[in-house]
């Protein structure tokens, strides 16, 4: 399998998994995990954009990366409280 196909498959699967975890909203730990996986997916999509010279894909995922970092930052304290409880 070609490297770009592997990268795109990984990116798509991690994006779908992250979206499912965040949307499920089972608990804060699951939500934080979803945002963390979204971060990995955004980085993978940025690499794809870089390799394919697609500035729009890079810009979109830089913005999504910042949003997902914000998500981790907001939800992480709630997840820590769940672990301590």
């Amino acid at each position: 399998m070609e490297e770009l196909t592997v990268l795109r498959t990984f990116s798509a699967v991690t994006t779908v998994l992250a979206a499912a975890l965040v949307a499920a909203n089972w608990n804060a730990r699951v939500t934080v995990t979803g945002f963390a996986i979204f971060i990995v997916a955004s980085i993978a999509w940025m690499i794809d954009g870089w390799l394919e010279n697609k500035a729009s894909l890079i810009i979109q995922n830089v913005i999504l990366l910042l949003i997902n970092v914000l998500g981790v930052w907001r939800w992480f304290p709630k997840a820590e409280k769940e672990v301590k409880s």
Side-chain angles (χ1 to χ4, degrees):
M1 191 181 277
E2 189 179 328
E3 290 84 4
L4 271 176
T5 302
V6 172
L7 177 62
R8 288 178 181 151
T9 301
F10 173 79
S11 302
V13 169
T14 54
T15 300
V16 170
L17 175 62
L21 292 174
V22 171
N25 197 23
W26 282 313
N27 59 45
R29 288 175 34 203
V30 171
T31 302
V32 168
T33 301
F35 279 119
I37 294 171
F38 263 135
I39 290 170
V40 172
S42 291
I43 293 168
W45 282 119
M46 285 187 287
I47 292 168
D48 180 33
W50 181 267
L51 293 173
E52 290 293 301
N53 198 25
K54 295 179 180 176
S56 59
L57 187 59
I58 296 169
I59 293 165
Q60 171 187 325
N61 280 284
V62 165
I63 293 166
L64 290 172
L65 176 68
L66 295 172
I67 292 167
N68 292 315
V69 167
L70 177 63
V72 169
W73 179 72
R74 285 186 34 91
W75 279 90
F76 192 76
K78 295 173 187 170
E80 280 186 322
K81 287 179 185 177
E82 283 181 3
V83 172
K84 291 178 184 176
S85 297

